[in-house]
Structure formats: C-alpha cells, structure tokens
Amino acid sequence: MPALAAGLDGPPAFRDRVSSGLAAEFPTVPPGTVARRVADARARAEHLGIEATPEVVERVAREHLLALVNSAPPPRSPR
C-alpha cells in the first residue's frame, strides 16, 4: 500500500516552514519524522476536503507529534 502522503506534501516552502517550526518545538523527534507528520497531516486534510493551510497542517501535525512524544516509554532506571 503506498504511503498516505506520497506526492501530496505540497510546495517546499510550505513544507519547510511548517516542518522547521515543529522540529524546533520537538527537538527529540528526528527531522525526517517531523517532515513525514507534516506531509501526512496535509494529505489527510486534502483527502477530507479541508483547506490545507499551514496553520491547519501545523496544528494537526503538532497533535500527532505530541502523541508520539507522550507515548514513548519512560527511561529505564538502573537496577
């Protein structure tokens, strides 16, 4: 099955602006993962018929990144 965002990640300026802002906000998440979340959020909005403005895409991608960061297991304590 092809990736959801294949070919739908928008112009580089759009993608780079949103991705760079979120990458700075989530320094523990690899930049490639941030870019992928942005591309997926844009593709989902377009698929649902919602105008994929930078603000909408950023908000949706931020929620997904928060879920990713908050679902990470806690660090292991030494035994």
Side-chain angles (χ1 to χ4, degrees), residues 11 18-19 28-30 32 57 60 67 69 73-74 77-78:
V18 175
S19 293
T28 60
V29 179
V57 171
V60 172
V69 169
S77 58

Side-chain angles (χ1 to χ4, degrees), residues 40-75:
D40 286 348
R42 181 179 173 95
R44 284 188 192 98
E46 290 176 349
H47 175 74
L48 295 171
I50 299 168
E51 184 179 356
T53 64
E55 294 80 16
V56 168
V57 171
E58 182 178 358
R59 227 184 295 165
V60 172
R62 180 179 289 112
E63 289 298 320
H64 286 266
L65 290 165
L66 280 169
L68 179 73
V69 169
N70 291 332
S71 68

